[in-house]
Amino acid sequence: MAFAEFPEIEPLNPEFRAGHPKMRVTVDTERVPRRSEDQVLEALAQAFPGLGRHQCRSAAALGGAPVAGTRILLVPNDASANQAHVFEHLTLELLGALDDTASRLSGVTCAYTEPPERNDVFVECDDADTASLAAWLAAEVMNGVLAGEDAVPLYSDVLRCARLMHGAPARAWTPQRLARGADLPEPRAAAALEVLSRAKLVQAVDFAMNFSGEPHYRCIAAGARAGSHIRAK
């Protein structure tokens, strides 16, 4: 990950605001996809209905066609670029959900010639920590859906819990407390915590005394999660 204005890519999307901060995420997609990108997008659209409101124009000149009742365009015979493009839209959707103050955000995906599975994804953002959290969540969700996991209700629950915890990062959360705050059944809150823990976006907290016996978790700053992979330019 890197954060800068990246003026060199602004001509690639006329919706970019000149000089607005952006996040660049370099992603390697699956060389042999376990699920087709249209199946992945269909599953994601069920978990995140906001994807249906996204505008997508740049792929039209490449023969792109909308999929899964969305206006997100996938191009023929380029699974890698399509996976990365879906990741771009998912990151934008999660970023908007995590930051209520975010205005309209735009992005673009740039495929590498070599290696063919590599892509640079650029998205506008106002806060690097929130943007990196959205990107790590998007990667975890994409990996899960590609592996055949049901996106509903798990990943919509994950977003709801991440949003709640992101708003109170210093607080210790138990599955019971998170279930109450997110208005979810406790087993679903626990499953969401498991995903966030697997992605190393939350970590277990050890106490000298824990009378409840419930596990406690706190948020890890997404910048710390990314470590040396995040850099400002």
Side-chain angles (χ1 to χ4, degrees), residues 86-160:
V86 171
F87 171 82
E88 172 206 326
H89 280 276
L90 179 59
T91 300
L92 286 167
E93 179 65 19
L94 298 181
L95 181 52
L98 289 166
D99 184 1
D100 285 335
T101 66
S103 55
R104 177 187 52 80
L105 300 171
S106 298
V108 72
T109 296
C110 304
Y112 282 50
T113 303
E114 185 64 34
E117 70 274 12
R118 187 157 297 166
N119 300 264
D120 280 344
V121 174
F122 297 86
V123 297
E124 291 179 318
C125 62
D126 297 315
D127 175 71
D129 190 61
T130 304
S132 55
L133 172 58
W136 283 113
L137 278 177
E140 187 68 24
V141 172
M142 286 286 293
N143 285 332
V145 172
L146 282 165
E149 291 182 358
D150 291 331
V152 179
L154 177 60
Y155 290 119
S156 49
D157 290 349
V158 167
L159 174 58
R160 183 181 296 188

Side-chain angles (χ1 to χ4, degrees), residues 17-223:
R17 288 164 287 177
H20 195 277
K22 303 174 191 67
M23 172 176 64
R24 183 187 68 206
V25 186
T26 302
V27 295
D28 286 354
T29 58
E30 293 190 336
R31 291 190 176 190
V32 181
R34 290 169 287 176
R35 297 180 75 180
S36 66
E37 55 270 31
D38 57 332
Q39 291 175 323
V40 170
L41 181 54
E42 183 176 0
L44 291 173
Q46 292 175 6
F48 306 105
L51 289 170
R53 296 189 292 273
H54 286 215
Q55 297 283 348
C56 187
R57 300 180 181 89
S58 60
L62 301 174
V67 172
T70 72
R71 287 174 285 184
I72 297 173
L73 306 181
L74 301 182
V75 298
N77 304 316
D78 196 339
S80 177
N82 285 333
Q83 280 184 35
H85 186 55
V86 171
F87 171 82
E88 172 206 326
H89 280 276
L90 179 59
T91 300
L92 286 167
E93 179 65 19
L94 298 181
L95 181 52
L98 289 166
D99 184 1
D100 285 335
T101 66
S103 55
R104 177 187 52 80
L105 300 171
S106 298
V108 72
T109 296
C110 304
Y112 282 50
T113 303
E114 185 64 34
E117 70 274 12
R118 187 157 297 166
N119 300 264
D120 280 344
V121 174
F122 297 86
V123 297
E124 291 179 318
C125 62
D126 297 315
D127 175 71
D129 190 61
T130 304
S132 55
L133 172 58
W136 283 113
L137 278 177
E140 187 68 24
V141 172
M142 286 286 293
N143 285 332
V145 172
L146 282 165
E149 291 182 358
D150 291 331
V152 179
L154 177 60
Y155 290 119
S156 49
D157 290 349
V158 167
L159 174 58
R160 183 181 296 188
C161 292
R163 181 176 178 178
L164 184 64
M165 297 177 78
H166 185 56
R171 186 174 188 180
W173 295 89
T174 65
Q176 186 179 59
R177 179 178 291 167
L178 192 60
R180 288 198 302 268
D183 193 23
L184 292 172
E186 188 172 337
R188 284 171 52 180
L193 273 172
E194 184 178 336
V195 172
L196 292 168
S197 179
R198 185 174 70 212
K200 296 183 173 60
L201 291 169
V202 302
Q203 65 180 0
V205 180
D206 293 325
F207 295 100
M209 299 289 289
N210 182 358
F211 293 105
S212 71
E214 279 193 296
H216 288 65
Y217 296 88
R218 278 203 177 96
C219 289
I220 302 174

